[in-house]
Structures are given as C-alpha cells and as structure tokens.
Amino acid sequence: MQKNRRLLIGGVIILAALSYMIYGGMQEAIVYFVTPSELKANEHARRDKFLRMGGMVVEGSLQKDLKNLTYRFELTDGKTTFPIFFKGLPPDLFTEGKGAVVEGRIGADGVFQASTIMAKHAEEYSPHADGQNQAKSFVPAKEAVGK
C-alpha cells in the first residue's frame, strides 16, 4: 500500500511539473500586438518593454532615406496614430495604406524604434492569366539581363 501511494504521489508531481512547463511554453510562444490607441493609453508603463504594434501605414507619412536605410512613418488604428522609426530593409510589400506589424521599443523621444517590420499581404492567390508577365527566374537580376 505504501509503495502504491508513493508511486501515485510521484506521478502527480511529474504530471504537475509537465503541465506547468507546457503552460509556460505556450505563454511565451503567444505574442499579441497592441494597437496605436492601446499603446498611447499605456505608453509610460510600456516604455522599456519589447512590443509588437499593428495598424495601417498612414498615407503620406512614409519618409525614406535610402542612403542611410532609415524609414519614418506613422501607424494608425483609425483612432490614433503613432510615429515609427525603422533602420534597415523593410519587406517588399511594405507601403503606405497597407497593414503592418512592427516590433521594437518606445524611445525616450516617444517614437517607436522598430527593429522589424512585417507587412500584411493579400489573402487570396491569383495566378497570371495565360502566361502574362510570368517570371522566368526567381532572381530578378537575371530577368533584367535577359531583356
């Protein structure tokens, strides 16, 4: 009887530890993004935290410095806009009026310092109509040389 009881207690402890590890791993893997309105409401509390913010790139707000690879723009959720600064190469689909999610931190100046930009893309696929504008290569430079 004593041996069965120890085995049962050991099993419960192992099951509890395993459950805790699975729950903790899921909490770290789930990453939500905040909207510009949510971030403005709690800006001071989130100053030193790594965040994701999602919204639409405001038309006319995109300023590019291609020499230094810096981009300044604003994200909006329809209510509030938030200024963003990014240094690097944005994704090809990143443009004004489209959805984007940025990762980074709020700087001391109140500007979101993005380290990554993720651009939203179309949800449906539509192939080219009967051979029109089909790429002959996956490398754009090879297509330009052939023309």
Side-chain angles (χ1 to χ4, degrees), residues 85-122:
F85 173 81
F86 174 71
K87 183 174 176 85
L89 290 171
D92 292 337
L93 298 174
F94 176 73
T95 185
E96 293 178 341
K98 300 288 183 178
V101 175
V102 294
E103 295 179 329
R105 301 179 191 282
I106 301 172
D109 56 356
V111 175
F112 192 92
Q113 305 292 321
S115 58
T116 306
I117 298 176
M118 294 174 276
K120 185 174 181 342
H121 58 83

Side-chain angles (χ1 to χ4, degrees), residues 52-131:
R52 275 189 179 171
M53 178 171 50
M56 301 295 286
V57 180
V58 176
E59 294 276 350
S61 71
L62 183 58
Q63 301 169 8
K64 302 176 188 178
D65 180 357
L66 298 177
K67 183 178 178 185
N68 296 315
L69 290 177
T70 60
Y71 298 81
R72 292 182 182 277
F73 57 96
E74 293 180 346
L75 278 186
T76 185
D77 59 0
K79 301 175 200 163
T80 305
T81 62
F82 208 95
I84 314 290
F85 173 81
F86 174 71
K87 183 174 176 85
L89 290 171
D92 292 337
L93 298 174
F94 176 73
T95 185
E96 293 178 341
K98 300 288 183 178
V101 175
V102 294
E103 295 179 329
R105 301 179 191 282
I106 301 172
D109 56 356
V111 175
F112 192 92
Q113 305 292 321
S115 58
T116 306
I117 298 176
M118 294 174 276
K120 185 174 181 342
H121 58 83
E123 294 174 0
E124 56 284 326
Y125 170 74
S126 57
H128 294 288
D130 293 335

